[in-house]
Amino acid sequence: SAITFALDDDDDEVGVDISQGDYNVKDCRPPELPEPPSDFTAEDLRLREVLADFYFRHKADNLANINLITKRYRGRSVSHLWAQLALKYKVDAYNVVELLARTLYESAPFEYGDEHQAESLETRLAELQTAMLGSMEVPEDRAELLRRCLETKETSCADGTGGNTEGSDSVLRMLCFRGLHQGSSELRPQVWKLLLGCLPVARPSEWNVLQSEMRSLYAKYKSEVLVVSNELKFEVKVEGSRQMEAIHLLQQIQKDVDRTRQDVDHFRRPSTRVALISLLFVYAHVNPDVQYVQGMNEVAAVAFHVMSADPEYEEADAFWCFTFLMREIKVGFTQALEQSADCPSAGVAALDRLLRTYDPELARHLNKVSCPIAVFAFRWCTLLFAQDVSLESAVRLWDCFIADPKRFDFVPHACLAALLSHRDELLALEEQGALAELLRRIPRQPDFDGWLRRAWAICSLERRAQTPAFPARSAALALRELSGW
């Protein structure tokens, strides 16, 4: 159930009397900042530091309470703190995103809006961290947690105990959402297969058998429509009236793949290009309702890159990863030729709503100068940024997209975060060409970690169950939305 806060019941009521006493001369100096408790974590200390700066500018008296306020709102509650402070001190929503991005607790399941689910996950995480004497705050410890999570599944299946399947699934999802950094990146192919549904999470004893069967099935699909010679030449096996159509399709795919990720050595290799062309051609044959649409080459390239950890089966594994992913995002591709301003895609519509809510000034500016933001947003959402960021950044974003409990609802959060990261530059431009060039460059920003934390902050604010609502929608904003601004 939702928790209700009164606007006068946030940071002021922490059970500490900070009165200055009855003096004839008032001491206007701010209270001294108390020493932090010895049990404060690195995340607690970061929140304490940002809060101290905030109160110094807005309400210096609360500096004496800084440790108690930190204790009260740390963890998942930090988004509720900033939502209340924003309403109380009239802080713009886009500035709240910045404050929350700096103080967000990666160790807390902020992406879960359901309180019961989040509390159960926190309990499970505490058990795992106690068992290994590690912390979610430390990337190396998260890597070890991930290994143990996968090992627990296999062990519990082998001994017949079953284990806490739901809890370990959520832990797996949460760890991947935060990114599989150095120390756990070799686990990414297996984690993606599980979270995409290629392999059944609850039946680890079947993983090896199913994986072998799927690889054989791909080889069968391929042998029915395509032959690749030792010289890496293609021969289409489709006959009859569909032969010319198949040849044309193969040529189209080949043309697109030859331009794909040519900044990466692996994708300049002829063998890689042949494998990518093959799996896309087979996909189009097996899925005649979707076939092939330009842009799929970029999506398949990210999957292929991750699955290339096992060179012997990279093509087959990438095919299935791509296939299961396309089951969820194919609507964007089928809409590609039908897209219009009157009927935007779900991702573009979600970004439009978020932008108007979090930064109405920027939204009005872009609308006023007829900025072609929808064109870029559609590509970002449809291709999951595969064409617009480096391969390394795409993989890290996909860790979030694939692991998010609400899956691709997180994509518009990443889009808004990208815009807010360049807010001042966007507001300073009025010429369409200059704006389009900036929008093209925005996803390749150097501060990737800052962009991702802003996206997490937006996600946390969007999924918080507490009231009052934030960002608040004013009557003026609602009226502008109804009138089309």
Side-chain angles (χ1 to χ4, degrees):
S1 59
I3 301 172
T4 304
F5 290 95
L7 287 179
D8 58 352
D9 183 27
D10 58 349
D11 51 298
D12 295 329
E13 296 184 13
V14 289
V16 176
D17 181 6
I18 59 170
S19 61
Q20 298 293 324
D22 187 14
Y23 297 98
N24 292 328
V25 179
K26 185 176 180 181
D27 187 351
C28 295
R29 292 175 300 177
E32 289 187 10
L33 198 64
E35 290 295 317
S38 59
D39 64 345
F40 267 20
T41 66
E43 291 178 314
D44 293 333
L45 292 172
R46 187 162 55 246
L47 173 59
R48 179 181 180 274
E49 179 185 355
V50 176
L51 269 177
D53 179 66
F54 180 88
Y55 281 128
F56 185 80
R57 290 181 287 111
H58 291 277
K59 189 175 182 180
D61 284 349
N62 269 336
L63 290 172
N65 302 337
I66 199 75
N67 291 333
L68 292 172
I69 297 170
T70 299
K71 287 182 180 179
R72 179 177 177 180
Y73 288 100
R74 60 187 171 187
R76 281 190 299 123
S77 296
V78 69
S79 62
H80 316 322
L81 171 63
W82 289 119
Q84 289 186 115
L85 292 178
L87 293 169
K88 184 171 184 178
Y89 296 106
K90 296 180 173 57
V91 181
D92 290 324
Y94 64 85
N95 280 323
V96 174
V97 171
E98 294 294 324
L99 290 166
L100 182 54
R102 294 168 59 193
T103 56
L104 197 69
Y105 280 65
E106 290 186 37
S107 60
F110 58 83
E111 66 270 33
Y112 285 84
D114 182 274
E115 291 289 323
H116 174 71
Q117 193 174 15
E119 289 172 3
S120 297
L121 179 51
E122 286 178 323
T123 300
R124 177 62 178 151
L125 275 171
E127 294 171 354
L128 286 170
Q129 291 177 90
T130 300
M132 63 166 281
L133 301 177
S135 170
M136 276 287 292
E137 297 179 48
V138 182
E140 292 77 12
D141 288 352
R142 289 205 299 269
E144 183 59 27
L145 277 171
L146 181 60
R147 284 194 187 84
R148 294 201 177 198
C149 184
L150 291 171
E151 290 170 2
T152 298
K153 284 184 170 299
E154 295 180 4
T155 303
S156 63
C157 180
D159 63 20
T161 61
N164 185 351
T165 302
E166 183 178 353
S168 58
D169 291 354
S170 297
V171 171
L172 181 68
R173 196 172 288 280
M174 181 177 169
L175 290 168
C176 184
F177 187 77
R178 277 142 190 79
L180 306 182
H181 300 293
Q182 242 180 355
S184 61
S185 58
E186 76 279 2
L187 301 175
R188 183 176 280 117
Q190 186 79 340
V191 172
W192 280 21
K193 290 173 189 175
L194 291 170
L195 295 181
L196 284 171
C198 302
L199 299 174
V201 179
R203 303 199 305 276
S205 64
E206 301 176 22
W207 291 350
N208 289 337
V209 173
L210 287 173
Q211 200 157 243
S212 178
E213 291 177 352
M214 292 170 73
R215 288 165 176 169
S216 297
L217 183 58
Y218 171 72
K220 176 179 177 294
Y221 286 158
K222 182 178 177 180
S223 67
E224 293 173 351
V225 294
L226 198 63
V227 173
V228 180
S229 69
N230 293 333
E231 293 76 27
L232 302 182
K233 302 293 184 181
F234 293 106
E235 178 187 345
V236 174
K237 294 185 68 177
V238 178
E239 298 179 353
S241 60
R242 296 186 55 216
Q243 186 179 55
M244 290 307 298
E245 179 184 345
I247 292 173
H248 177 73
L249 174 62
L250 182 64
Q251 291 172 341
Q252 180 186 352
I253 293 173
Q254 185 169 1
K255 182 178 178 182
D256 291 342
V257 168
D258 284 345
R259 295 194 300 258
T260 303
R261 294 289 176 184
Q262 291 305 290
D263 58 324
V264 179
D265 180 64
H266 190 209
F267 286 92
R268 290 197 297 269
R269 299 174 188 169
S271 59
T272 299
R273 294 203 299 271
V274 166
L276 199 54
I277 292 166
S278 298
L279 74 88
L280 287 166
F281 185 79
V282 173
Y283 175 83
H285 176 74
V286 176
N287 298 272
D289 58 323
V290 185
Q291 292 197 336
Y292 171 79
V293 179
Q294 190 175 51
M296 288 182 181
N297 54 303
E298 301 287 353
V299 175
V302 179
F304 189 90
H305 171 70
V306 170
M307 297 303 149
S308 63
D310 186 349
E312 184 178 358
Y313 299 109
E314 59 187 356
E315 183 180 328
D317 290 353
F319 169 82
W320 289 112
C321 178
F322 176 73
T323 297
F324 277 80
L325 178 62
M326 284 300 299
R327 290 178 182 178
E328 301 185 59
I329 68 171
K330 65 181 180 181
V331 173
F333 288 94
T334 56
Q335 288 179 343
L337 300 178
E338 304 169 5
Q339 198 64 33
S340 70
D342 296 329
C343 184
S345 71
V348 173
L351 174 59
D352 183 65
R353 177 190 65 80
L354 289 169
L355 181 58
R356 293 176 187 233
T357 303
Y358 282 83
D359 199 340
E361 180 187 1
L362 180 58
R364 285 195 298 273
H365 172 72
L366 296 177
N367 182 70
K368 178 183 176 183
V369 298
S370 300
C371 177
I373 186 171
V375 174
F376 291 90
F378 179 73
R379 189 172 74 204
W380 296 345
C381 293
T382 302
L383 305 186
L384 306 180
F385 287 95
Q387 190 176 352
D388 292 276
V389 299
S390 69
L391 197 54
E392 179 186 0
S393 296
V395 168
R396 288 189 61 190
L397 281 173
W398 282 29
D399 283 342
C400 299
F401 298 154
I402 291 171
D404 182 27
K406 291 193 174 182
R407 194 71 100 194
F408 300 108
D409 282 3
F410 183 70
V411 180
H413 300 165
C415 294
L416 176 62
L419 296 177
L420 294 184
S421 298
H422 293 262
R423 180 178 190 272
D424 293 341
E425 295 171 73
L426 289 166
L427 286 171
L429 295 174
E430 295 191 358
E431 198 270 319
Q432 278 193 24
L435 280 164
E437 175 59 24
L438 178 57
L439 287 169
R440 186 188 64 80
R441 290 188 286 107
I442 276 178
R444 290 187 177 268
Q445 55 191 295
D447 184 16
F448 179 85
D449 290 335
W451 172 22
L452 190 56
R453 288 189 68 86
R454 289 182 188 94
W456 285 346
I458 294 163
C459 174
S460 178
L461 289 168
E462 284 295 291
R463 295 179 188 177
R464 58 184 285 272
Q466 280 78 354
T467 55
F470 181 84
R473 292 174 73 257
S474 66
L477 177 58
L479 182 61
R480 281 196 296 269
E481 288 180 349
L482 289 173
S483 63
W485 292 57

